[in-house]
Amino acid sequence: MPVINPEKLIGLQRNADGVRNICILAHVDHGKTSLTDALIATNGIISPKLAGKIRYLDSRPDEQLRGITMESSAISLYFSMLRRSATGHEPEQKEYLVNIIDSPGHVDFSSEVSTASRLCDGAVVLVDAVEGVCSQTVTVLRQTWIEHMRPLLVINKIDRLVTELKMSPGEAYTHLSKLLEQVNAILGSFFQGERMEEDLQWRERVDERIAAAAVKEQEKSERKAGGSTNGTTAEDEENGAAKADIPAAGEFEEKDDEDIYFAPENNNVIFSSAIDGWAFTVRQFASLYEKKLGIKRSVLEKVLWGDFYLDPKTKRVLGQKHLKGRVLKPMFVQLVLETIWAVYEASIGGSKGKGDPITLEKITKSLSINLPPHILRSKDPRAVLIAVFNAWLPLSTALLVSVIEHLPSPPVAQATRLPAMIDVSPGSEHIDPKIRDAMISVKAAKQEPVVAYVSKMVAVPKSELPQNKRRGGALSAEEAREWGRKKRAEIARSQALASGVSSHVEGITETLGDAKIGEEDMNGLGSDSQQDDPEHLIGFARLYSGTLSVGDSVYVLPPKFTPARPHAHPEPQRVVIQALYLLMGRGLEPLTSVPAGVVFGVAGLEGHILKSGTLCSQLLGSINLAGVSMGGQPIVRVALEPVYPSDLGKMITGLRLLEQSDPCAEYEVLESGEHVILTAGELHLERCLKDLRERFARCEIQAGEPIVPYRESIVSAPEMAPPKEKDHPRGTVAGVTASKQVTARLAVKPLPAAVTEFLAKHLGAIKRLYSERRAEEEGKRDNGIALSEVEEHDGVDESEALQTEVLSLVDFKKELRNALEEVKGEKELWIDIVEKIVAFGPRRVGPNVLIDNTKAGICRRFLQEPHQSDAGENRFDSPEWTQNSTGLTARDFSDKISYAFQLATAQGPLCHEPIQGIAVFLEEVTISVPEEEQSSAREHLGRLTGEVIKTVRDSIRQGFLDWSPRLLLAMYSCEIQASTKVSLFFRAEVLGRVYGVITRRRGRILSESLKEGTPFFTILSLLPVAESFGFSDEIRKRTSGAASPQLIFQGFEMLDEDPFWVPFTEEDLEDLGELADKENVAKRYMDAVRKRKGLFVKGRKLVENAEKQKTLKR
């Protein structure tokens, strides 16, 4: 294939109707990158012979080594085809630009899938024909559904049905039919869930309209009863209109789900083998058999797949009910699969695996294929196979034609996708209509507003930028000497590192001796290597409207920006676009301008965008598109430190670069001063450390043990120590400050499981309610405060607010009451507590509640309506509270008590991990200040503040320990696919080893199933994150590579074991002894965390074998 000039691709960007933006999604090892290679070969970038082997878009060395994709990469391809503008017209040659993003399939890099999907309009979803639907297949299908992308299904690796499973064409057809049903069942579940949600919303709207009409009718009757007749006609008309609206609201609009499913007759299913370079759709075979069978192509497209049969005598198509007892093969088997099976048998089949040359010659003649003589003489049978398929069913043709015909262009896609995306963006009602119209209509004129979404930042070495690359031609003499000097300097440095300081000095001396004295530029021979080739950050972006050019000045909107308060802190900054790039996989091509509807790279955003953001040409009425939810959340934390302390500055700089360039990695500094990196999993951590050492920091860095998160909670266990306060219920504590002036009595209770689950699910709603309440309070003093300013200090991950639909205050209170009504025991305790809730914790949004149960109600309620809040404030300002302005009241300490609650729930008493699932009832606050100190009591408020905070915090911890404490472990959902294709004995051995590894790591098997028609066992289990490190390597070693796991963070699960349990009954003492020979796993986890944090560990020996530490001299 001839190499396509970049200028050709740049010119095609101007025609938005001829652009396709697609991403390739699949489970790991289902053939995404191999498929992309076949497409890249059509543009002459790589040789067709290397397609599927070179994995061109896997540009990282570790990607090539592991054979998996770790970073999403984009490339632009040229494609031309003959198309008719209308029925009956002559076909015309049309050119297209296809922007392809290849995304990772490993669960650790799900965030890369999220960033790629927002930029694209269509998705090519790959499914392995043998492995079938896997965990990440469901994830990527859900991503396409959420982003409203049109999918195209590719059933890949069909060659494995022939070569590995040895299926007949009939068995393969049955297997493919079941696989297609599984994929469609997933889409059907998404559709059903959405319809149920819409049905619920419709019922709520109907109830609201009926209630409003009833209220109006009641008001009308009251007016008539009171003798008021003025305006009766107008009221009657209004009521009549309201009644007329009720039937309209009662008509539920049914949606057809026919167009959401994959069906070969609709040409949205492609059958392929990327490694052998072939693919086809039903339409291709319909055109092949149109003349031979004398059946129209449109008819063949509908009957080639499904229960349709060809009568060999009459050449008519029969349905299943017309078979009349005859045994016929389905048309897909007879006309399609048997032909493909015959090619495999003739080329690589037979007893010796060399095929049958005579049969192969017949097949090539019937297909009108001429193979070159050197291919026929080749000793490699696969070369013949690939040559036949490349000439008959080339993969690139089938896929790209389907992409052009089935997936939408930017104008079509944005008209359908963007309205919903704009409506759910922050402050959507304040968006300028001009911007909305320009985005939906893809207006690319220069005067139109510019809106672009930057999904992530990509780190590119300075030497890889186009302006630093040489454009063809031979090196001049001076350039050759310069290049040689650099190489000698690199060799000298490597020798110095290998042999020590002396050789380092000799190497530098030799290098300097080779250089000419008087040369102006030494190119930093003595400088640090980090300055030789620094990393530059390039934005990975999509332009939705306008035209963006180099030198343009645009606003960078952060992810928390809202157009309702455009000038709120931090106010968006203007940046100048320094460079624009065409993304070409491993390289970049410079651009001067970019029209709407294309994917591109942008420079000049370094320091202005952390991970994602929106570019807009105007600030007032702009839109924030950066609300994409990441597929995987960072759960594994590791503390880092440089080997040499002098490299600390390099490491910090490298960590900041890594945080910007990786969509999922996060960097934070703990209170202890540790520099911690958060990653999505073990493989992600390994990649981040490699990038940090070799690219960003370029220094030796050592990583500590992984820091796994835990949660602390309490339960009511049958065997518990007696309450500490004998006269009060369990969990009640009366705390007295050190000065004996303030006494706070509170009770700690376990929160019902249903309420805890509800609060954990709706963290986003709590966060928004708190932010609005804070903005209202401070808005009275400064009306310019922004919602984002409040959120910035919440300490909650942005993704938590995007997990579920954010409820309003009324809906939140209603659902919380419903959850409390489900409580079976102690219902009187939980009645009417919703109005008494003061705060949630930790960090003001967690699944713990502080309840004001005092008689006077000293704290402001959190879940109050605005009018109730105003009444409450007036109550606090009443004479009852202000009669003694010099004295102290309990209300003066309400915010201190709330703050102590946040501290106590953020660091539990077990191992200073966040608490989950407790309710703190504040029962009484008593102030006892001597009369002689009443006048100066407020002067000592600062001292009492610290005392109250400490006392309440310690009281909550004491009440916590009055119950039976529990640790909640972070859990992975583990899906293991084990191959058992050798024998029954080998199957039992593999499964036994898998179960052994899971059990030894305290995992739990949930289910196991054998995929019908395949040798694959699928095992679902739960595994603690703390026990998961090294799990993948161990299970592969133990099964000799026959099993491969996928770990997905599932949440927290309670470990039903008291870390403070000791045997005290006669039976326990008799069975276990006083020392409790049975290991307390909860205590082991707790002690490990306490040891890491430097806390006191009970029973830990600080000095062992002290007598051996004496020196001989003493």
Side-chain angles (χ1 to χ4, degrees):
M1 289 293 296
V3 179
I4 304 299
N5 197 335
E7 282 72 18
K8 180 78 171 177
L9 301 175
I10 296 171
L12 292 174
Q13 290 183 341
R14 305 296 170 188
N15 180 21
D17 292 325
V19 176
R20 299 291 186 274
N21 298 313
I22 66 170
C23 56
I24 300 181
L25 310 174
H27 187 76
V28 65
D29 285 336
H30 279 201
K32 297 180 299 299
T33 309
S34 300
L35 184 84
T36 312
D37 273 1
L39 304 182
I40 295 173
T42 61
N43 279 223
I45 299 174
I46 62 174
S47 169
K49 296 180 181 179
L50 298 177
K53 302 174 184 177
I54 193 172
R55 300 199 306 275
Y56 180 78
L57 291 183
D58 287 349
S59 56
R60 296 170 55 94
D62 49 354
E63 288 179 327
Q64 292 286 340
L65 183 64
R66 290 180 176 270
I68 63 172
T69 304
M70 297 184 184
E71 287 184 351
S72 54
S73 304
I75 192 167
S76 297
L77 300 179
Y78 166 83
F79 182 67
S80 64
M81 60 181 290
L82 292 172
R83 293 194 73 181
R84 287 184 172 89
S85 56
T87 306
H89 288 210
E90 288 295 324
E92 300 176 358
Q93 187 79 13
K94 294 192 176 182
E95 299 177 330
Y96 297 92
L97 175 68
V98 183
N99 297 317
I100 299 175
I101 302 179
D102 181 27
S103 62
H106 196 280
V107 66
D108 280 10
F109 310 108
S110 297
S111 56
E112 296 279 351
V113 178
S114 303
T115 58
S117 60
R118 176 56 66 93
L119 302 180
C120 297
D121 303 319
V124 177
V125 180
L126 272 72
V127 178
D128 191 318
V130 176
E131 295 183 7
V133 176
C134 298
S135 58
Q136 282 300 102
T137 310
V138 180
T139 302
V140 298
L141 285 172
R142 183 181 293 109
Q143 191 72 34
T144 60
W145 184 269
I146 292 172
E147 293 290 341
H148 302 287
M149 294 190 296
R150 189 178 297 178
L152 189 68
L153 180 64
V154 176
I155 301 179
N156 194 27
K157 300 189 179 182
I158 293 182
D159 59 289
R160 296 180 66 186
L161 303 179
V162 187
T163 57
E164 290 185 21
L165 301 187
K166 308 293 184 183
M167 285 186 177
S168 66
E171 294 171 341
Y173 171 72
T174 305
H175 178 78
L176 293 174
S177 300
K178 291 180 179 179
L179 175 59
L180 194 59
E181 289 175 2
Q182 292 175 5
V183 177
N184 284 331
I186 295 170
L187 295 177
S189 66
F190 298 156
F191 177 80
Q192 188 68 23
E194 189 176 90
R195 297 302 291 156
M196 291 176 65
E197 184 177 351
E198 291 177 358
D199 179 66
L200 179 62
Q201 294 173 357
W202 164 75
R203 292 179 185 276
E204 291 177 351
R205 289 196 302 268
V206 171
D207 293 341
E208 289 175 0
R209 294 196 179 195
I210 293 175
V215 170
K216 289 184 178 181
E217 189 69 27
Q218 184 178 0
E219 290 177 354
K220 177 186 173 183
S221 60
E222 289 176 356
R223 289 193 187 99
K224 284 184 178 181
S228 175
T229 58
N230 295 332
T232 304
T233 306
E235 290 175 5
D236 290 342
E237 291 178 357
E238 184 180 352
N239 291 334
K243 290 179 181 178
D245 286 343
I246 295 174
E251 297 174 0
F252 183 66
E253 182 184 354
E254 291 291 344
K255 290 185 179 179
D256 189 10
D257 61 344
E258 188 175 341
D259 59 340
I260 70 169
Y261 296 117
F262 295 114
E265 59 268 22
N266 295 336
N267 291 295
N268 58 0
V269 178
I270 300 174
F271 304 90
S272 78
S273 170
I275 195 68
D276 291 339
W278 61 266
F280 66 89
T281 60
V282 168
R283 176 174 293 180
Q284 285 180 268
F285 273 91
S287 60
L288 288 175
Y289 287 105
E290 181 181 8
K291 293 181 180 179
K292 187 174 182 180
L293 298 176
I295 303 174
K296 291 182 179 180
R297 190 178 70 172
S298 59
V299 176
L300 277 176
E301 288 179 11
K302 302 299 181 184
V303 299
L304 265 181
W305 177 268
D307 295 329
F308 296 99
Y309 306 87
L310 183 65
D311 191 330
K313 295 181 180 179
T314 62
K315 300 296 182 181
R316 294 181 59 188
V317 178
L318 305 176
Q320 193 170 13
K321 61 182 179 181
H322 297 102
L323 289 179
K324 298 178 180 179
R326 288 185 294 176
V327 180
L328 297 178
K329 297 176 183 178
M331 292 182 65
F332 191 79
V333 175
Q334 184 179 358
L335 302 180
V336 179
L337 294 184
E338 285 187 351
T339 310
I340 293 175
W341 259 242
V343 174
Y344 273 96
E345 183 67 23
S347 56
I348 61 174
S351 57
K352 297 182 180 180
K354 294 184 179 180
D356 185 358
I358 299 174
T359 307
L360 181 65
E361 185 178 357
K362 293 180 181 179
I363 292 174
T364 53
K365 284 184 178 179
S366 63
L367 297 174
S368 302
I369 297 173
N370 294 321
L371 295 181
H374 70 279
I375 295 293
L376 295 173
R377 292 194 302 266
S378 174
K379 295 182 179 180
D380 183 11
R382 290 191 58 82
V384 179
L385 174 74
I386 293 173
V388 172
F389 277 122
N390 280 340
W392 179 35
L393 301 172
L395 185 149
S396 57
T397 302
L399 184 58
L400 290 177
V401 169
S402 298
V403 165
I404 298 301
E405 294 183 347
H406 184 72
L407 300 185
S409 61
V412 176
Q414 290 186 200
T416 55
R417 290 181 66 204
L418 285 190
M421 192 186 301
I422 294 173
D423 291 340
V424 299
S425 64
S428 58
E429 62 275 7
H430 299 279
I431 296 174
D432 188 348
K434 185 179 178 182
I435 289 181
R436 182 187 182 97
D437 181 59
M439 293 178 64
I440 295 175
S441 304
V442 199
K443 295 182 178 179
K446 189 66 179 176
Q447 66 272 14
E448 296 294 338
V450 173
V451 178
Y453 172 62
V454 181
S455 67
K456 70 169 185 173
M457 303 295 287
V458 182
V460 179
K462 182 180 179 181
S463 59
E464 297 296 326
L465 297 177
Q467 57 266 30
N468 298 325
K469 278 189 172 183
R470 181 179 176 81
R471 293 279 176 180
L475 293 175
S476 64
E478 185 63 29
E479 289 173 339
R481 284 194 294 270
E482 187 73 20
W483 182 81
R485 187 168 64 251
K486 286 183 180 180
K487 289 297 180 183
R488 287 194 296 272
E490 291 177 6
I491 294 171
R493 276 196 292 270
S494 62
Q495 290 175 348
L497 291 173
S499 56
V501 179
S502 60
S503 60
H504 173 70
V505 175
E506 293 173 3
I508 292 295
T509 306
E510 181 181 354
T511 305
L512 292 175
D514 291 340
K516 293 184 178 180
I517 299 175
E519 289 186 347
E520 296 178 0
D521 186 14
M522 296 299 291
N523 286 310
L525 285 176
S527 63
D528 191 84
S529 60
Q530 188 174 3
Q531 299 176 355
D532 287 347
D533 197 8
E535 298 283 342
H536 286 254
L537 293 175
I538 304 297
F540 199 30
R542 159 79 180 266
L543 190 63
Y544 287 99
S545 67
T547 299
L548 188 63
S549 303
V550 177
D552 285 354
S553 179
V554 294
Y555 286 98
V556 177
L557 310 182
K560 297 178 182 179
F561 171 83
T562 171
R565 299 180 182 89
H567 298 287
H569 178 78
E571 188 169 351
Q573 300 178 349
R574 290 188 76 97
V575 298
V576 177
I577 303 300
Q578 298 179 0
L580 297 170
Y581 301 108
L582 178 68
L583 304 172
M584 292 298 293
R586 301 185 181 185
L588 301 171
E589 295 292 337
L591 299 173
T592 55
S593 63
V594 174
V598 298
V599 177
F600 63 100
V602 54
L605 306 179
E606 191 169 352
H608 299 281
I609 289 182
L610 179 60
K611 290 182 180 295
S612 64
T614 308
L615 306 181
C616 195
S617 56
Q618 66 183 58
L619 185 59
L620 297 177
S622 54
I623 182 173
N624 180 10
L625 295 172
V628 60
S629 60
M630 294 301 166
Q633 301 306 324
I635 188 65
V636 179
R637 297 185 296 170
V638 172
L640 307 177
E641 64 177 6
V643 174
Y644 303 103
S646 59
D647 291 334
L648 180 62
K650 291 182 183 179
M651 187 188 78
I652 294 174
T653 304
L655 282 169
R656 288 172 180 162
L657 275 173
L658 176 66
E659 184 182 22
Q660 293 182 34
S661 63
D662 194 302
C664 193
E666 295 181 8
Y667 162 59
E668 62 181 20
V669 181
L670 302 183
E671 294 179 358
S672 59
E674 292 178 292
H675 298 273
V676 172
I677 183 174
L678 286 80
T679 60
E682 194 174 2
L683 182 59
H684 187 212
L685 172 64
E686 186 178 335
R687 192 200 75 179
C688 289
L689 291 176
K690 180 180 176 63
D691 284 347
L692 198 59
R693 290 173 178 139
E694 298 180 0
R695 296 178 59 190
F696 301 126
R698 302 196 183 185
C699 63
E700 291 296 321
I701 294 174
Q702 57 186 11
E705 291 295 323
I707 303 172
V708 179
Y710 294 88
R711 295 290 184 267
E712 302 179 18
S713 188
I714 53 176
V715 295
S716 178
E719 298 178 356
M720 290 190 293
K724 295 178 182 178
E725 296 283 344
K726 297 182 180 179
D727 300 333
H728 297 282
R730 183 181 294 276
T732 303
V733 178
V736 184
T737 59
S739 62
K740 312 293 184 183
Q741 294 183 355
V742 182
T743 302
R745 190 175 82 245
L746 50 86
V748 178
K749 304 283 184 182
L751 203 59
V755 181
T756 304
E757 183 180 353
F758 171 78
L759 295 178
K761 185 179 178 181
H762 292 90
L763 295 179
I766 303 173
K767 179 177 179 180
R768 195 182 76 170
L769 292 174
Y770 172 78
S771 302
E772 291 175 352
R773 185 61 49 85
R774 178 79 177 273
E776 287 175 5
E777 292 176 359
E778 300 197 11
K780 297 175 182 178
R781 176 171 47 85
D782 181 9
N783 198 28
I785 185 167
L787 181 66
S788 58
E789 183 179 0
V790 180
E791 291 180 349
E792 191 173 17
H793 304 285
D794 280 345
V796 180
D797 191 0
E798 180 74 14
S799 61
E800 292 178 344
L802 300 169
Q803 291 175 352
T804 56
E805 182 183 358
V806 179
L807 300 176
S808 64
L809 176 60
V810 177
D811 294 337
F812 181 82
K813 291 170 65 175
K814 180 181 177 181
E815 294 197 19
L816 181 56
R817 286 194 184 96
N818 294 337
L820 288 168
E821 289 175 359
E822 296 177 3
V823 179
K824 295 182 179 179
E826 297 184 346
K827 285 195 174 184
E828 66 281 355
L829 179 66
W830 306 104
I831 294 176
D832 297 332
I833 71 161
V834 175
E835 299 296 340
K836 298 179 181 179
I837 293 177
V838 176
F840 297 91
R843 295 175 176 175
R844 298 184 288 273
V845 293
N848 306 288
V849 292
L850 174 63
I851 300 166
D852 183 4
N853 218 17
T854 58
K855 294 181 180 179
I858 64 171
C859 300
R860 282 192 171 93
R861 307 297 194 259
F862 182 78
L863 298 177
Q864 281 187 342
E865 301 290 341
H867 63 276
Q868 293 176 335
S869 179
D870 295 339
E873 290 177 8
N874 295 333
R875 177 173 62 84
F876 286 132
D877 296 333
S878 63
E880 181 184 350
W881 292 99
T882 60
Q883 60 184 355
N884 187 3
S885 59
T886 58
L888 291 176
T889 62
R891 179 181 176 252
D892 293 326
F893 300 102
S894 61
D895 57 336
K896 284 76 177 174
I897 293 171
S898 178
Y899 181 68
F901 168 74
Q902 303 296 337
L903 291 178
T905 53
Q907 292 186 337
L910 298 183
C911 50
H912 283 195
E913 289 290 316
I915 291 176
Q916 176 174 315
I918 70 167
V920 180
F921 291 84
L922 182 63
E923 296 181 346
E924 186 181 7
V925 177
T926 307
I927 299 175
S928 55
V929 181
E931 294 182 1
E932 60 273 9
E933 297 182 10
Q934 283 283 350
S935 60
S936 61
R938 285 196 172 273
E939 297 177 2
H940 302 287
L941 184 61
R943 171 177 58 81
L944 286 176
T945 295
E947 292 183 5
V948 169
I949 291 174
K950 182 178 183 299
T951 301
V952 174
R953 183 197 64 187
D954 294 344
S955 298
I956 294 175
R957 290 178 175 175
Q958 291 175 23
F960 182 96
L961 294 174
D962 208 7
W963 298 85
S964 181
R966 292 290 187 271
L967 276 180
L968 278 77
L969 308 183
M971 302 296 289
Y972 274 136
S973 172
C974 177
E975 179 181 304
I976 302 173
Q977 202 162 54
S979 175
T980 57
K981 61 185 177 183
V982 179
S983 63
L984 291 175
F985 173 75
F986 183 73
R987 174 186 302 177
E989 185 179 3
V990 168
L991 296 180
R993 290 179 177 180
V994 168
Y995 295 162
V997 174
I998 294 174
T999 306
R1000 188 165 58 253
R1001 291 176 176 264
R1002 302 191 56 79
R1004 186 173 77 252
I1005 304 293
L1006 297 180
S1007 66
E1008 58 180 23
S1009 59
L1010 177 65
K1011 289 192 175 182
E1012 188 177 352
T1014 70
F1016 288 99
F1017 246 92
T1018 301
I1019 303 165
L1020 294 178
S1021 63
L1022 286 177
L1023 186 72
V1025 176
E1027 306 286 350
S1028 66
F1029 300 101
F1031 173 75
S1032 300
D1033 291 339
E1034 181 183 1
I1035 208 164
R1036 287 192 186 100
K1037 289 177 183 177
R1038 294 281 296 167
T1039 61
S1040 301
S1044 58
Q1046 282 272 300
L1047 300 175
I1048 304 173
F1049 180 63
Q1050 187 73 14
F1052 290 90
E1053 184 178 273
M1054 184 176 290
L1055 177 62
D1056 194 14
E1057 194 170 359
D1058 191 337
F1060 299 116
W1061 180 85
V1062 291
F1064 60 92
T1065 64
E1066 292 185 2
E1067 295 180 359
D1068 291 339
L1069 289 171
E1070 184 178 350
D1071 293 341
L1072 303 173
E1074 294 182 359
L1075 299 178
D1077 297 334
K1078 179 183 176 182
E1079 182 190 20
N1080 190 328
V1081 179
K1083 187 177 188 303
R1084 172 162 62 86
Y1085 287 141
M1086 182 185 73
D1087 289 347
V1089 177
R1090 293 185 69 89
K1091 181 181 178 182
R1092 176 178 59 80
K1093 293 184 176 182
L1095 304 174
F1096 173 72
V1097 179
K1098 187 177 180 180
R1100 177 188 172 197
K1101 293 183 179 180
L1102 298 179
V1103 178
E1104 294 184 5
N1105 302 324
E1107 69 279 359
K1108 295 183 180 180
Q1109 297 183 18
K1110 296 180 180 179
T1111 61
L1112 295 176
K1113 292 183 180 180
R1114 296 180 181 176

